[in-house]
Amino acid sequence: MSTECVQKERKFGHRARLAPTPAQARLMDDQAHAARTMWNCLHDWWTMLPKDKRSLSAADAAIRRARKEIDWLGALPAQAAQAVLKAYFQAWKNCWGGRADPPHFKARPRTVMSVDIPQGRDLNITRVHRRWGMVNIPRIGRIRFRWTKDLPVGKRASSENRITGARLVKDALGWHIAFRVQTLEAAPEPHQGPEVGIDAGVNLPLALSDGNHRDHGRPPRLPDGTADRDKWLNPREKARLLGLERRAARRKQHRKRGEKTSRRLRHTYHQIKQLRAKATRRAVDWQHKTTTSIARRYGTIVVEKLNIKNMVKSARGTPEEPGQNVAQKAGLNRSISQEAWGRTVTMLTYKTARQGGALHKVPAPGTSLRCSACGITTPGSREGQATFVCKNPDCGWSGNADWNAARNVLHLYRMGHALVPVAGRAAVRRPRGVKPATAR
């Protein structure tokens, strides 16, 4: 008796580092500036026209005319210009649908330089080495890129497994290319792994209810008690970063108000951005590896529904009612932002789905203050950020505070307090026959 394997379409992205020559890097810079300028011109044209004269065809004609009249706008390929138009109209659709803010002017210092390549057939990808591949960029030529993942190219490419397009993105570490990949793969079978509750913390990044915690091996605070904002850098890189920041401060104090930033100061800022980008890359790499191992091991993952935006608000208060412990709260906010809890949950969501598992969210209030052994919330049980000692005379359980919260998170799910999004909000789903309970 044969069983049919269910196939499903999967779309994902893969980012690789490019190795362009200096001449090719300048050409990509010109295309990125042209794409940003075209967006700004399109935005001004759209906002100045009356509503009855706005249309996609009129915008397309305006872009074609601008590319003919302005020479340096012609550096952008025609298909990339059409991608700018499509992205701008999609931004307005997201605004009208209530999913995003209206599109705005893209300033040069605060905009990520990027160019879209909508047609996958223009890339002509080939693998020339175990670690390197070659990709064709329109109006630039062949460029090497780092081969870190098998891509559906050559004989492996088909109508179901192919690269549909790409996007060039520049950050402080240089130019990268993000491929858009479409594949057809077998639907995963239900994961038979155990259940686990996860609590995201500052001292312990990911505390698991079964005690198999995940730590990145870097202390969140310095010996003097302040938050370590550069924990992903080694001591030599930290010393270099401190020297660059002091150099930038000295050069900045000699600049008059309204004066243009000097070339030396811009170069110092660029070196600082490189070190910051390197630290971010290491943090994301740790998150990817950690979430992948968790998704492969556990079939059901339970996390808290956190409102991180409210958690990182400043404690300064108002002039009439100033806040307390402002510096300590600012350090805690920096530590929370560095851990990037929202990005961790996003990774766990799609990775558990690929492995056949499921991710659930439970209400967050009370999980860190309630004892996981007796289920009673006693004032004073939470001693600092790392220790929990139950003050209930009949219990007296003690342990790591994040581990205690992770056990409470899993218990809430088992008692039927999982949240299900309904019409843009979260509703509580309880299994039939299970009554709500707050204590063991």
Side-chain angles (χ1 to χ4, degrees):
M1 182 177 180
S2 62
T3 58
E4 295 183 359
C5 183
V6 180
Q7 301 284 327
K8 70 173 185 178
E9 185 181 80
R10 175 176 172 242
K11 296 181 180 180
F12 63 95
H14 172 63
R15 183 165 172 168
R17 178 167 55 91
L18 289 173
T21 63
Q24 291 173 336
R26 286 192 296 269
L27 291 175
M28 286 191 286
D29 290 344
D30 294 341
Q31 288 192 8
H33 288 307
R36 181 185 58 84
T37 304
M38 190 166 293
W39 173 285
N40 293 335
C41 293
L42 183 61
H43 180 65
D44 293 339
W45 175 85
W46 180 269
T47 53
M48 288 188 299
L49 278 182
K51 292 185 178 180
D52 55 345
K53 295 185 178 180
R54 298 174 182 174
S55 64
L56 182 61
S57 59
D60 188 15
I63 284 181
R64 295 176 184 273
R65 186 167 56 253
R67 293 183 69 251
K68 291 181 180 179
E69 295 177 355
I70 305 176
D71 296 336
W72 56 274
L73 282 182
L76 189 67
Q79 293 180 349
Q82 294 296 320
V84 174
L85 176 62
K86 183 179 179 181
Y88 184 78
F89 269 78
Q90 185 61 41
W92 274 115
K93 290 181 181 179
N94 295 337
C95 175
W96 297 332
R99 298 183 296 272
D101 295 331
H104 55 81
F105 182 87
K106 290 188 176 182
R108 180 171 181 173
R110 298 184 297 273
T111 303
V112 177
M113 299 179 65
S114 62
V115 181
D116 195 79
I117 306 175
Q119 298 292 340
R121 61 175 179 266
D122 296 337
L123 298 174
N124 192 15
I125 302 173
T126 57
R127 187 172 185 177
V128 296
H129 190 265
R130 183 172 64 90
R131 295 183 177 180
W132 292 97
M134 296 290 290
V135 60
N136 181 67
I137 307 299
R139 297 202 177 185
I140 295 177
R142 304 287 289 175
I143 302 180
R144 292 194 309 159
F145 70 93
R146 190 73 170 177
W147 191 282
T148 56
K149 185 180 182 68
D150 290 335
L151 300 173
V153 297
K155 296 181 179 180
R156 299 182 57 187
S158 62
S159 58
E160 294 85 8
N161 302 296
R162 59 193 177 93
I163 295 178
T164 59
R167 189 173 187 85
L168 302 177
V169 182
K170 185 180 183 181
D171 59 7
L173 298 176
W175 278 100
H176 298 73
I177 183 168
F179 298 106
R180 293 189 288 268
V181 186
Q182 174 183 323
T183 62
L184 191 66
E185 58 184 20
E189 297 181 357
H191 201 298
Q192 303 299 328
E195 300 174 344
V196 66
I198 299 179
D199 177 75
V202 174
N203 292 286
L204 187 59
L206 293 178
L208 276 62
S209 58
D210 60 355
N212 189 17
H213 308 311
R214 297 295 194 275
D215 190 4
H216 43 58
R218 290 172 170 82
R221 297 187 179 277
L222 296 173
D224 58 358
T226 58
D228 187 5
R229 56 182 299 198
D230 306 316
K231 58 187 176 183
W232 291 101
L233 300 177
N234 57 42
R236 183 176 180 180
E237 292 169 339
K238 288 182 181 180
R240 183 168 180 266
L241 178 61
L242 180 61
L244 290 172
E245 290 177 341
R246 290 176 176 176
R247 184 188 305 172
R250 289 194 303 268
R251 290 175 176 174
K252 187 178 179 180
Q253 68 181 358
H254 296 293
R255 187 183 61 176
K256 299 180 181 179
R257 186 178 181 85
E259 186 180 358
K260 187 177 180 180
T261 305
S262 65
R263 186 188 304 174
R264 291 183 177 181
L265 183 56
R266 288 200 303 268
H267 180 65
T268 304
Y269 283 154
H270 180 68
Q271 290 177 313
I272 294 175
K273 287 181 179 180
Q274 285 182 330
L275 288 174
R276 298 289 186 197
K278 185 180 294 186
T280 302
R281 184 176 61 179
R282 292 172 181 172
V284 174
D285 179 71
W286 178 85
Q287 283 183 312
H288 272 293
K289 293 178 180 178
T290 304
T291 52
T292 299
S293 63
I294 292 175
R296 289 176 178 174
R297 181 171 182 176
Y298 300 99
T300 302
I301 300 175
V302 189
V303 297
E304 294 176 303
K305 177 67 176 180
L306 298 175
N307 192 341
I308 303 176
K309 185 177 180 180
N310 292 339
M311 294 176 64
V312 296
K313 283 186 177 179
S314 175
R316 287 178 297 181
T318 60
E320 294 79 12
E321 297 181 359
Q324 299 179 356
N325 299 327
V326 179
Q328 292 84 343
K329 184 61 170 62
L332 179 62
N333 293 346
R334 284 194 298 268
S335 300
I336 294 175
S337 300
Q338 284 182 353
E339 294 300 335
W341 296 340
R343 187 168 58 200
T344 301
V345 174
T346 301
M347 292 179 181
L348 284 173
T349 302
Y350 73 83
K351 290 182 180 182
T352 51
R354 283 198 64 194
Q355 299 295 330
L359 184 137
H360 302 277
K361 295 182 180 181
V362 297
T367 55
S368 60
L369 303 177
R370 188 185 309 117
C371 178
S372 60
C374 64
I376 298 177
T377 302
T378 308
S381 297
R382 183 72 182 264
E383 298 182 357
Q385 288 287 337
T387 308
F388 185 93
V389 180
C390 183
K391 300 300 182 180
N392 183 11
D394 299 332
C395 180
W397 183 87
S398 62
N400 184 274
D402 296 330
W403 182 33
N404 174 75
R407 296 174 62 184
N408 286 326
V409 167
L410 180 60
H411 178 71
L412 286 176
Y413 167 74
R414 289 175 174 174
M415 294 302 296
H417 291 270
L419 297 176
V420 180
V422 178
R425 59 186 179 87
V428 178
R429 179 184 64 184
R430 273 188 208 98
R432 182 176 299 177
V434 177
K435 297 180 179 180
T438 57
R440 301 289 186 274

